[in-house]
Amino acid sequence: MPKPIALVTGASSGIGRATAQGLARAGFAVIAAARRLDRLQELAEQNPGVTPRQVDLSDVDQVENFCAEIIGYDEPVGVLVNNAGYSWRGVVEAAPMAPLLRMYQVNVFALLRLTQAVLPGMRARRQGRIVNLSSIVGRFTFPGSGPYASTKHAVEAVSDAMRHELLPFGIRVITIRPGPIATEFNDTANEFSAEAAANTPPEYQPVLAAAGAAFGKMFGQIRIPGPEVVAEVIVEAITSDNPKAAYAVGPFSDELLPLRAKLDDDDWLEGMNQRFGLAGLKV
Ligand SMILES: NC(=O)c1ccc[n+]([C@@H]2O[C@H](COP(=O)([O-])OP(=O)(O)OC[C@H]3O[C@@H](n4cnc5c(N)ncnc54)[C@H](OP(=O)(O)O)[C@@H]3O)[C@@H](O)[C@H]2O)c1
C-alpha cells in the first residue's frame, strides 16, 4: 500500500512545520507547501517522506497552478491541512482594502480552492481528512483583531457546511482553534502594526491604550506553548478513527470558547468590555 499523501500548507514554520514533521513520523508522504523554499528543503532533508512545494498562496495564478497539479497526482491527496495564514492587526476603520484582500486570499480563498482540488479524489475513495486552522478568534473577536478574526469566522463557516456535506462520503472536516502559540505568527502580525497605527485616527488612542493594557495583563499571566502542542492535536485528529468536529488548544481556549458559547451577545459585550477596560469609556 502506498503511504497516504498529506498536504500541509504553511509548512515552513510554526504549527505547519511541526505538523508536517508529526505526519511524516506517522508514516504519511507529506507535501510541505509555503513560499520559503530553503526552509522546506531543510525540513525535507531532516524528515524522510517530506516533499517541498514552493507556492505563494496570495497569488491567484500560483494557487490555480498548484490545484491543477494536485488534481493530476497519480495518488490522490488523502489528508489536507489548511494551515497557512497570518494576521493583519488593527481596528476595523484603519484596515486598507489591499492588505485585507491579500489576507482573505491566503486565509480563506486559497483554503477553499485547495479543498476543492482534493475533494474529487477523496470522494472517489469515500475517505479523507481536511483540517482547517481556525483560532479562538474564529468564534469571537477581540478589539483590534476584527479583520483577521473575520477570516477565521469564514473558515469556521465553510468548515461547518462541509462537515454536513461530506460526512456521507466518509470525509471528516476538522477545525482547530488555537489560543496564542509561540511561532513566527506574532512577528508577522507586528510587521503590519505600523501600517495599522499610521492609518488609525488619533481619537482611538484611549480605546487602544485600555485594550493594550488589558492584553498586557492577560498575556503576562500565561505561559505560551510552542507549536508542537497544536501539531499533536492535529496528528491525533487525522489518525483517530472518530475525530471531533473541532479541537480547542492553548491558552484562553478552555475558558473563553465555552464562555462565548454560554453568553448572549449583550452579556459577552459587557463582560469583555470590563475585561478590556472599555466599560463606560467615552471618547
Ligand atoms: N500562533 C498563534 O498564536 C495562532 C493562534 C491561532 C491560530 N493560528 C493559525 O495557525 C496557522 C499557522 O500559524 P503559525 O502560528 O504557525 O504562524 P507562522 O509560524 O507565522 O507560520 C505561518 C505559515 O504560513 C505560511 N504562509 C504565510 N503566507 C503565505 C503565503 N502567501 N503563501 C504560502 N504560505 C504562506 C508561512 O510560510 P512562508 O512565509 O514561507 O510562505 C508559514 O509557514 C495560521 O493559520 C494562524 O492563523 C495561530
Side-chain angles (χ1 to χ4, degrees), residues 9-17 33-40 54-59 62 82-87 89 102 105-107 110 132-137 148 151-152 176-189 219 224-225 227 230 249:
T9 67
S12 61
S13 152
I15 296 167
R17 186 177 199 282
R35 289 167 301 179
R36 286 171 290 179
L37 186 58
D38 53 337
R39 296 272 200 103
L40 298 175
Q54 186 177 36
V55 61
D56 183 348
L57 297 175
S58 72
D59 182 322
Q62 288 194 34
N82 280 310
N83 164 78
Y86 67 95
S87 168
R89 225 175 253 161
R102 187 173 175 282
Q105 168 59 30
V106 175
N107 293 10
N132 290 334
L133 265 290
S134 175
S135 165
I136 53 171
V137 299
Y148 168 66
T151 68
K152 294 304 185 182
I176 309 289
R177 299 174 186 146
I181 303 295
T183 64
E184 294 172 18
F185 179 83
N186 208 34
D187 294 341
T188 306
F219 279 77
I224 300 182
V230 186
V249 53

Side-chain angles (χ1 to χ4, degrees), residues 79-83 129-133 174 176 234 237-238:
V79 172
L80 171 62
V81 183
N82 280 310
N83 164 78
R129 295 276 158 104
I130 296 170
V131 178
N132 290 334
L133 265 290
I174 298 139
I176 309 289
I234 295 173
I238 289 168

Side-chain angles (χ1 to χ4, degrees), residues 22-109:
L23 288 173
R25 275 188 218 119
F28 289 85
V30 178
I31 299 169
R35 289 167 301 179
R36 286 171 290 179
L37 186 58
D38 53 337
R39 296 272 200 103
L40 298 175
Q41 282 167 338
E42 191 196 347
L43 178 72
E45 278 158 24
Q46 293 166 357
N47 297 275
V50 173
T51 305
R53 173 59 162 88
Q54 186 177 36
V55 61
D56 183 348
L57 297 175
S58 72
D59 182 322
V60 175
D61 293 337
Q62 288 194 34
V63 172
E64 291 310 314
N65 289 339
F66 192 25
C67 287
E69 185 183 307
I70 290 167
I71 290 164
Y73 286 156
D74 292 339
E75 181 67 20
V77 171
V79 172
L80 171 62
V81 183
N82 280 310
N83 164 78
Y86 67 95
S87 168
W88 191 98
R89 225 175 253 161
V91 298
V92 172
E93 188 180 344
M97 279 303 116
L100 280 199
L101 287 168
R102 187 173 175 282
M103 180 169 64
Y104 263 84
Q105 168 59 30
V106 175
N107 293 10
V108 182
F109 300 131

Side-chain angles (χ1 to χ4, degrees), residues 217-272:
K217 205 167 146 202
M218 279 170 75
F219 279 77
Q221 289 165 350
I222 56 164
R223 192 191 67 80
I224 300 182
E228 295 74 21
V229 298
V230 186
E232 269 172 35
V233 170
I234 295 173
V235 174
E236 159 70 19
I238 289 168
T239 51
S240 158
D241 287 341
N242 193 18
K244 296 200 297 180
Y247 293 80
V249 53
F252 308 126
S253 63
D254 282 359
E255 180 209 346
L256 293 180
L257 288 168
L259 187 66
R260 182 64 191 97
K262 197 174 89 179
L263 297 182
D264 71 18
D265 291 342
D266 289 313
D267 287 344
W268 172 261
L269 174 66
E270 192 185 323
M272 291 310 272

